[in-house]
Amino acid sequence: MLARVLVPVVIAACMFVVPLPAADLIVDSAAISDESTGENWLAHGRTYSEQRFSPLDEINDANVQTLGLSWFLDLPEERALNATPLVVEGVIYFSGHNSVVTAVDAKAGTVLWRFDPETIRHAGERGKLLWGTNRGVAYWKSKVFVGTGDGRIIAIDAQSGNQVWSTQTVDPSVPYYITGAPRVFNDKVIIGNAGTELGPVRGYVTAYDTETGEQAWRFYTVPGEPAKGFEDEAQAMAAKTWTGEWWEHGGGGTVWNAMTYDPDFNAIYLGTGNGAPWNHKIRSPDGGDNLFLCSIVALDADTGEYRWHYQTTPAESWDYNSAMDMVLADLQLGGRTIKALMHAPKNGFFYVLDRANGNLLSAKPFTKVTWATKVDLKTGRPLEVPGVRYENDDVFIYPGPYGGHSWDPMSYSPITGLVYLPYSEIPGYYSDKGIKRTLWRATKLEFSAGIAVETMFGNDFPTEGTSAGLGGWDPRKGQYVWRVPSAAMGNPGTMTTAGNLVFQGRADGALIAYRADDGALLWRFATGLGISSPPVTYAVDDRQYVALLVGWGGAQAMLGGSIAAQYGWSYGRHPRRLLSFALDGEAVLPPATPPAFAKPLEVADFVIDETLAEKGLSRYVRSCAWCHGPGATAGGGAPDLRASLIVTSRDAFKKVLADGQLVARGMPRFAEFSNEDREELMHFLRKKAHESIAK
Ligand code: CA
């Protein structure tokens, strides 16, 4: 009782947010701003700063060797698990496959409720483009919020798991989808969308009232057709940076992943995606920077009004998203304390901005970068290498469309002053040969980027010249203090603690604890399956836990080819789980399911016709590679079609594609494929199987 009486007095006296006793916790802006207490993980990046730093230090660099499994929960209905779980007063909430939300007792490891938004049923034809992945939920007062694959935002009662309201947030006639986590502030929940590669998509975010689901405001990240009138002044300003009839192509710029709320300025920062299509020469044929593609855009959180922006990649042409996380911290720079925003987008430069005005303070390459030599701090613009826009010839550059860093979140420790950044060195091959730029139009529900996709998805992923690592990056100096190598495909997000630790799961299935200040590997646990999600930490009854979802899947497993396939996490074979660790934890996992590798099949009486196979390649890269992998090499996100019995029988193939026999299992129906289309596809797949066997 004493503590409760004292709380208001303490707040008034020192003006700090004092953590309320657990039972009285109201998850609001004050609670999510509070960096001082580590019991909960209330928001996607733990707190509004998105530092993914926990002040908990019961588990630390001196005792982490005794960290053990406390409990595990089998999740037989899950596949790809990419989410950051939230932890609120002893309950873990996470989104899994097809946006299903589960609540779990954080101490006992038992399921409290499951909420299935039935995304496949709601998506209809758009089910074709759902990867099924979801990166997380939001929590506000007594509700949990999830953005669904088919484009709804749903409020769920945190206690009962029942739906409170549901709002459609995208136009179902446009190939939008949602994989990202909503954010919450000031009784509003905000959600973006995705789909730039799959049709004429225009990016935007929408804020809704958390109580009612009523729209509060919407902000478009690219301008629409001028003749229809602009929604706000920012659209008019942005439209001056576009040419041609860009609205015909949608424009892109989707906010599919990162948004950071900043209580200091009552601002919401959007990380915007690439252009639709990628090819700037089609999108904006007479030039222009194309705002607000590949930008950080600051908005007034109450009204959605534009405040400032910084564009990382003007006139983007390479899928150089700025949809990667934005971390807020006070940094000592040039002798003063800056309220900084840190951002490591796909283009390979690590940016530090001043949140007061959006001014660029520093931009240093954090990975191999060959498309630009540097960023000019005066103009804020990159100095591009001539020819890099594939204007004369094909180009092979670093980074490629996978990016120097993608959605896997980085973390920041205010103690070490380091950012823990999972980075990649993966090149990209860009060409628009054979594309009639003036005639090009996006097709709906097919991979559609305005470049020669055959060069990108027609063959297995390039393994040479490809690497990755985890680095402790000093944002003040713009350099690494330490680096350790990691798998080039599957380099998940990180979490750091006051115990001088950094946790990261890996593609090979190991959860690892590194010493935060020097990167020494201190502890390792084999989970039995590739990891694709970031760990979190929390405390119940004064005991610290580290929790992790284990469920190989998502973009890298879908598109990583043989680099992703090398671990043998073949589709749907290995158990999906939620694991929780504590000091001296003694739970033991069942014996691991051994790795399994695709065995391509040869069909004795099948004569491969090269012309048909070539046509099949074109169909494959537009409709199938998205899940089944480049060059028909699946990384475990979907079945490997070279080894599929279904592709050995025209009858079985027809049943799946034309009749939708496997829709319930996640394989969409492709009724629009003609008999010829299917025949061509089959020739392509038989050819790929034959080539793999011959190797
Ligand atoms: Ca993209």
Side-chain angles (χ1 to χ4, degrees):
M1 277 311 288
L2 186 64
R4 288 189 196 186
V5 172
L6 283 178
V7 165
V9 180
V10 175
I11 290 175
C14 66
M15 299 303 286
F16 283 112
V17 177
V18 172
L20 296 167
D24 294 333
L25 182 73
I26 295 166
V27 180
D28 58 7
S29 295
I32 304 175
S33 300
D34 180 7
E35 301 282 349
S36 71
T37 173
E39 273 131 63
N40 298 305
W41 190 288
L42 297 180
H44 192 59
R46 202 184 87 82
T47 57
Y48 281 135
S49 70
E50 305 229 354
Q51 291 178 0
R52 291 173 183 260
F53 167 82
S54 169
L56 296 178
D57 62 359
E58 183 195 348
I59 302 165
N60 56 56
D61 56 352
N63 63 18
V64 70
Q65 289 79 10
T66 66
L67 190 62
L69 189 63
S70 181
W71 55 259
F72 66 92
L73 174 65
D74 284 324
L75 302 168
E77 292 174 70
E78 297 292 354
R79 273 176 280 168
L81 291 169
N82 288 355
T84 300
L86 302 189
V87 189
V88 185
E89 297 193 280
V91 179
I92 298 176
Y93 302 90
F94 69 89
S95 53
H97 197 73
N98 288 338
S99 320
V100 172
V101 180
T102 305
V104 176
D105 183 308
K107 191 178 173 186
T110 50
V111 173
L112 300 172
W113 53 255
R114 277 183 100 238
F115 173 81
D116 184 354
E118 301 185 323
T119 54
I120 297 294
R121 185 169 69 77
H122 280 86
E125 270 295 278
R126 289 177 304 137
K128 270 176 198 155
L129 46 92
L130 301 183
W131 266 342
T133 66
N134 192 290
R135 284 184 296 276
V137 295
Y139 194 108
W140 184 262
K141 294 181 179 169
S142 56
K143 295 185 189 70
V144 179
F145 300 88
V146 65
T148 66
D150 58 288
R152 287 168 293 156
I153 175 90
I154 296 179
I156 306 162
D157 180 81
Q159 199 76 38
S160 65
N162 294 330
Q163 179 174 307
V164 180
W165 55 257
S166 169
T167 300
Q168 180 71 38
T169 178
V170 301
D171 175 354
S173 71
V174 180
Y176 288 107
Y177 61 103
I178 293 176
T179 56
R183 306 297 199 278
V184 284
F185 48 85
N186 308 347
D187 293 316
K188 291 182 185 66
V189 56
I190 186 170
I191 188 77
N193 45 58
T196 299
E197 277 78 14
L198 297 165
V201 161
R202 182 185 179 198
Y204 61 87
V205 297
T206 319
Y208 296 94
D209 184 294
T210 50
E211 276 302 305
T212 63
E214 294 292 313
Q215 180 173 323
W217 54 261
R218 174 169 288 179
F219 181 84
Y220 287 92
T221 54
V222 295
E225 183 178 355
K228 291 183 178 167
F230 296 119
E231 290 85 356
D232 51 55
E233 284 171 26
Q235 306 301 316
M237 184 228 314
K240 297 194 176 97
T241 67
W242 293 74
T243 57
E245 299 186 329
W246 71 86
W247 57 90
E248 294 283 331
H249 306 296
T254 54
V255 181
W256 57 267
N257 179 53
M259 294 177 280
T260 301
Y261 174 70
D262 183 346
D264 289 343
F265 294 94
N266 193 34
I268 179 91
Y269 307 117
L270 314 177
T272 69
N274 55 278
W278 296 2
N279 193 334
H280 182 251
K281 288 164 277 180
I282 294 172
R283 199 176 65 229
S284 192
D286 298 314
D289 285 350
N290 295 177
L291 294 173
F292 300 97
L293 297 182
C294 304
S295 300
I296 295 166
V297 184
L299 306 178
D300 182 297
D302 290 334
T303 62
E305 270 177 280
Y306 166 90
R307 283 200 188 149
W308 57 257
H309 77 275
Y310 174 74
Q311 188 174 46
T312 56
T313 310
E316 99 81 19
S317 301
W318 313 274
D319 192 20
Y320 283 171
N321 275 275
S322 249
M324 289 68 236
D325 52 339
M326 294 161 285
V327 176
L328 314 183
D330 288 349
L331 290 189
Q332 297 298 319
L333 279 171
R336 61 191 185 109
T337 305
I338 305 281
K339 290 207 170 296
L341 180 151
M342 298 182 280
H343 179 56
K346 279 191 179 181
N347 78 12
F349 289 96
F350 191 102
Y351 296 87
V352 181
L353 302 184
D354 185 336
R355 278 141 58 202
N357 45 32
N359 285 349
L360 176 66
L361 300 174
S362 127
K364 290 278 175 61
F366 62 86
T367 180
K368 188 167 180 175
V369 173
T370 65
W371 72 279
T373 51
K374 60 181 274 198
V375 176
D376 183 328
L377 288 186
K378 283 209 185 75
T379 63
R381 299 178 71 90
L383 302 182
E384 287 177 18
V385 173
V388 75
R389 296 180 167 275
Y390 42 99
E391 54 267 57
N392 307 315
D393 215 338
D394 309 352
V395 291
F396 186 77
I397 52 171
Y398 288 84
Y402 291 80
H405 169 230
S406 188
W407 66 267
D408 301 287
M410 56 192 192
S411 56
Y412 170 77
S413 166
I415 297 174
T416 62
L418 300 181
V419 172
Y420 302 103
L421 173 62
Y423 65 91
S424 300
E425 295 192 357
I426 304 177
Y429 183 68
Y430 299 87
S431 163
D432 63 2
K433 281 210 180 106
I435 292 184
K436 294 191 177 68
R437 291 175 199 155
T438 51
L439 300 176
W440 187 90
R441 285 291 176 277
T443 47
K444 278 189 190 177
L445 301 173
E446 288 184 346
F447 189 89
S448 199
I451 65 164
V453 266
E454 286 80 1
T455 58
M456 178 170 307
F457 291 146
N459 292 300
D460 188 11
F461 201 79
T463 49
E464 254 173 69
T466 296
S467 67
L470 169 65
W473 171 270
D474 183 339
R476 290 157 304 152
K477 294 182 179 154
Q479 63 191 43
Y480 287 105
V481 171
W482 58 262
R483 285 208 255 189
V484 293
S486 69
M489 277 294 162
N491 189 13
T494 65
M495 178 267 287
T496 183
T497 73
N500 195 26
L501 294 172
V502 178
F503 288 87
Q504 187 196 27
R506 299 199 316 197
D508 64 4
L511 173 63
I512 295 190
Y514 298 96
R515 195 155 54 208
D517 53 12
D518 66 3
L521 194 158
L522 299 180
W523 176 85
R524 177 204 301 259
F525 182 92
T527 67
L529 174 61
I531 297 160
S532 302
S533 58
V536 299
T537 187
Y538 62 93
V540 182
D541 296 340
D542 289 329
R543 189 165 165 79
Q544 184 185 356
Y545 296 83
V546 171
L548 175 73
L549 286 163
V550 180
W552 181 243
Q556 299 196 332
M558 298 285 193
L559 294 169
S562 58
I563 297 184
Q566 67 179 301
Y567 308 101
W569 312 128
S570 67
Y571 180 71
R573 193 182 175 91
H574 296 79
R576 271 57 183 166
R577 292 188 176 114
L578 175 61
L579 308 180
S580 191
F581 300 85
L583 293 180
D584 304 317
E586 287 180 341
V588 179
L589 288 178
T593 306
F597 300 91
K599 293 191 185 71
L601 301 170
E602 197 86 85
V603 180
D605 53 356
F606 194 101
V607 182
I608 296 160
D609 180 304
E610 287 296 332
T611 312
L612 292 180
E614 194 60 30
K615 287 184 180 167
L617 160 72
S618 191
R619 169 63 50 202
Y620 181 84
V621 296
R622 283 169 175 78
S623 296
C624 319
W626 195 245
C627 293
H628 294 282
T633 304
D640 192 303
L641 298 181
R642 299 166 306 164
S644 167
L645 273 174
I646 290 162
V647 193
T648 65
S649 150
R650 289 184 174 87
D651 226 32
F653 204 41
K654 179 168 186 276
K655 280 199 177 106
V656 171
L657 288 169
D659 307 338
Q661 197 182 41
L662 298 180
V663 166
R665 281 167 59 182
M667 169 63 198
R669 185 171 170 221
F670 288 82
E672 72 277 23
F673 287 6
S674 65
N675 290 341
E676 290 73 32
D677 288 338
R678 286 199 309 276
E679 187 64 17
E680 289 161 8
L681 255 182
M682 196 165 222
H683 278 266
F684 168 71
L685 293 168
R686 293 270 56 85
K687 183 185 170 187
K688 282 292 169 188
H690 177 74
E691 283 173 1
S692 321
I693 294 165
K695 260 184 207 164

